[in-house]
Amino acid sequence: MRRLLAVVAALVCLAACSTGQRVDLGGASGALVAAIAGEPDQLDPHKTSAYFSFEVLENVFDTLVEPDADLQMRPALARSWEVSPDQLTWTFRLRPGVTFHDGSPLTADDVVFSYRRIIDEQLTNADKFAAVTEVRAVDPLTVQLRVRQPTPNLLTNIGGFKGMAIVSRANVESGRIATHPVGTGPFAFASQRSGDSITLTANPDYWGGAPRIPGVTFRFISEASTALSALQAGEVDWTDSVPTQRVAQLRDDDSVHLAVTASNDYWYLALNEAHPPWNDVRARQAVAYGIDRDAIVQSTSYGTAVANQLAIPRGNPWYAPYDRYRHDPDTARRLLDEAGVGDVDLDMLVTSEYPETVTAAQVIADNLAPLGITVRIRTVDFATWLDEQNSGNFDMLMMGWLGNIDPDDFYYAQHHTNGSSNAQRFSDPEVDRLLDDGRVQTDPAARYEDYRRAATIIADKVSYLYLYNPSVIQAWTPALSGYEARRDGAVRFRTAVLGEDESS
């Protein structure tokens, strides 16, 4: 960052810029302005679980390995790796010459510190190290991970998303990582205006080659229609906040480039099993029959999403067919009667920063009202949503999981009894056994069967009530090239070019 002070100093103009203006990066041409739908809750990659945070952090931090466009794991900070014949020792060899944004060199000790921090402090993604027994630096550029059993998804665990970033010890110990992160990525953090924007500047020493734009400013625009209008007016260059009702029209609009990409994401309804009546599986199943998925898909996505009763979408190699539930109010009433559930008044937690949760909640409330279930929709900001979810202060909630790759990503943290994101308090011994076995099973066919059976039980017993798989929908100015929308939703501007590029 010290090497970029001349550029950073120019960013003081941000204080004088209105939200309707492009951000001036000190006269540097080609800077990109991206509109995202919400503000990051914080910028410590090991502690946040917010997608808005990772949209920014994808460009600031690196992992040892990372998924390519086809979601296959490729070298990143580690240039190569090898696995011992017994599958219990993974050896990673780091790229030489990599530096953090403050100029300090990346070494194996940084990797050990980053992983031990997650493990020892039991941070958000500690469960991804469940099989790891040792992390050690063999030499300054070699790291070894020992695991207690074969771990076929280890690469996905440590590289699937930036929650597993390699961080700077000094940045952590100073306490600044949450507000001024220092990484090794293509862009360095420059400044943040609360409620308005975050600005990054290009890292000229990035190991993957210096970015071809001088910086990125992420503006927080919660209303999708406002973000799209800003794009069409030339106030922003890129957004993933696109009104789904405008997709059909935008396909024929030459003033913007529209990308609608099939994703591995899913949206779900969760019923808190610590709160009656959801401790009775029949009551949960009643809701599964009581909702109209097709109506939810139409209202939230205008047909750009695909209804699904499991997490993993069709076309994914881990997809399994499942169609037990249909919109059947009569069956729903019978199950509620069997469970002894009379008229109930329950709250549903949603957030305006993910507008589809609000829209879906309204449809769900309309579906359940004739069954005697009155749904009070409680709309909060996303930081509050996370707090309420983590404390169990909800009867029902709707949200999505984004950026999943391995089947373990779809199921373990969410549905294992000891899963770190099992806010709905689901517990089933057979699901636990299958998910534990899936983590060690190296035979692909047997592993597929483990997850197929686990997913079936999860859906049968309504740990989550799966709703649909959305598309990744993004739009950008035709002047932007070198960027592609990804199935995992990762927003990477490292190869982006805006307008004329002198190096081309």
Side-chain angles (χ1 to χ4, degrees), residues 275-478:
H275 292 188
W278 309 134
N279 55 328
D280 191 313
V281 66
R282 293 169 297 185
R284 302 195 301 273
Q285 290 171 336
V287 176
Y289 283 109
I291 65 166
D292 185 343
R293 280 183 180 79
D294 291 337
I296 293 169
V297 166
Q298 186 59 31
S299 64
T300 57
S301 75
Y302 286 79
T304 61
V306 178
N308 195 5
Q309 298 189 31
L310 295 183
I312 299 178
R314 188 182 300 274
N316 184 299
W318 300 97
Y319 169 79
Y322 181 96
D323 61 357
R324 171 175 178 168
Y325 299 110
R326 61 198 179 281
H327 185 214
D328 186 347
D330 291 337
T331 298
R333 290 188 186 91
R334 176 177 59 78
L335 287 166
L336 289 172
D337 289 342
E338 290 177 4
V341 178
D343 291 350
V344 289
D345 189 347
L346 303 168
D347 87 307
M348 183 169 176
L349 184 65
V350 297
T351 172
S352 57
E353 291 171 54
Y354 289 100
E356 50 269 85
T357 65
V358 180
T359 303
Q362 293 165 345
V363 177
I364 292 168
D366 289 343
N367 290 162
L368 298 184
L371 305 179
I373 300 174
T374 299
V375 176
R376 291 177 287 103
I377 300 172
R378 180 159 53 105
T379 306
V380 298
D381 62 81
F382 187 59
T384 302
W385 187 98
L386 287 170
D387 288 341
E388 295 290 83
Q389 176 206 231
N390 294 336
S391 65
N393 186 26
F394 67 93
D395 295 319
M396 315 162 68
L397 60 77
M398 183 184 165
M399 189 44 66
W401 277 92
L402 315 178
N404 307 292
I405 300 175
D406 188 85
D408 184 79
D409 300 337
F410 288 87
Y411 295 120
Y412 194 96
Q414 301 90 333
H415 306 289
H416 193 283
T417 297
N418 299 318
S420 60
S421 298
N422 187 353
Q424 73 279 15
R425 304 293 190 269
F426 177 76
S427 181
D428 183 275
E430 180 64 3
V431 168
D432 289 350
R433 185 189 69 78
L434 291 166
L435 295 181
D436 286 334
D437 189 63
R439 284 191 155 186
V440 302
Q441 179 56 255
T442 56
D443 176 75
R447 194 165 186 248
Y448 172 87
E449 185 61 17
D450 281 339
Y451 286 109
R452 185 197 66 77
R453 292 168 59 195
T456 298
I457 298 170
I458 288 166
D460 284 346
K461 296 190 175 181
V462 198
S463 174
Y464 276 1
L465 201 165
Y466 296 104
L467 300 172
Y468 59 87
N469 299 111
S471 295
V472 173
I473 304 175
Q474 299 175 357
W476 56 86
T477 171

Side-chain angles (χ1 to χ4, degrees), residues 110-395:
D110 296 302
V111 179
V112 174
F113 171 78
S114 298
Y115 289 173
R116 290 306 326 176
R117 180 185 185 225
I118 295 171
I119 295 168
D120 296 343
E121 297 182 27
Q122 285 294 292
L123 300 181
T124 303
N125 299 295
D127 66 291
K128 294 187 179 298
F129 287 112
V132 174
T133 59
E134 182 183 17
V135 184
R136 73 185 187 99
V138 177
D139 61 46
L141 291 177
T142 308
V143 178
Q144 276 190 349
L145 273 65
R146 291 276 300 171
V147 291
R148 63 172 52 90
Q149 72 260 331
T151 308
N153 62 329
L154 183 69
L155 292 180
T156 301
N157 280 350
I158 65 173
F161 77 117
K162 293 303 184 284
M164 305 298 282
I166 305 307
V167 302
S168 159
R169 182 171 195 154
N171 192 217
V172 171
E173 292 181 344
S174 71
R176 301 189 69 203
I177 189 170
T179 57
H180 196 113
V182 172
T184 60
F187 296 90
F189 178 88
S191 64
Q192 179 170 9
R193 294 180 64 194
S194 180
D196 181 78
S197 61
I198 287 176
T199 294
L200 311 179
T201 52
N203 173 11
D205 299 318
Y206 181 52
W207 57 265
R212 297 167 69 185
I213 52 175
V216 182
T217 291
F218 291 88
R219 286 181 50 196
F220 317 139
I221 303 178
S222 60
E223 290 292 333
S225 58
T226 304
L228 180 60
S229 295
L231 174 66
Q232 293 174 316
E235 295 166 3
V236 304
D237 303 303
W238 174 98
T239 186
D240 63 349
S241 187
V242 179
T244 51
Q245 65 268 32
R246 297 286 301 279
V247 166
Q249 173 193 1
L250 291 172
R251 292 186 192 277
D252 299 320
D253 187 343
D254 292 336
S255 70
V256 301
H257 178 90
L258 178 72
V260 181
T261 305
S263 79
N264 280 348
D265 304 342
Y266 67 87
W267 291 84
Y268 66 91
L269 175 67
L271 311 175
N272 191 344
E273 297 179 34
H275 292 188
W278 309 134
N279 55 328
D280 191 313
V281 66
R282 293 169 297 185
R284 302 195 301 273
Q285 290 171 336
V287 176
Y289 283 109
I291 65 166
D292 185 343
R293 280 183 180 79
D294 291 337
I296 293 169
V297 166
Q298 186 59 31
S299 64
T300 57
S301 75
Y302 286 79
T304 61
V306 178
N308 195 5
Q309 298 189 31
L310 295 183
I312 299 178
R314 188 182 300 274
N316 184 299
W318 300 97
Y319 169 79
Y322 181 96
D323 61 357
R324 171 175 178 168
Y325 299 110
R326 61 198 179 281
H327 185 214
D328 186 347
D330 291 337
T331 298
R333 290 188 186 91
R334 176 177 59 78
L335 287 166
L336 289 172
D337 289 342
E338 290 177 4
V341 178
D343 291 350
V344 289
D345 189 347
L346 303 168
D347 87 307
M348 183 169 176
L349 184 65
V350 297
T351 172
S352 57
E353 291 171 54
Y354 289 100
E356 50 269 85
T357 65
V358 180
T359 303
Q362 293 165 345
V363 177
I364 292 168
D366 289 343
N367 290 162
L368 298 184
L371 305 179
I373 300 174
T374 299
V375 176
R376 291 177 287 103
I377 300 172
R378 180 159 53 105
T379 306
V380 298
D381 62 81
F382 187 59
T384 302
W385 187 98
L386 287 170
D387 288 341
E388 295 290 83
Q389 176 206 231
N390 294 336
S391 65
N393 186 26
F394 67 93
D395 295 319

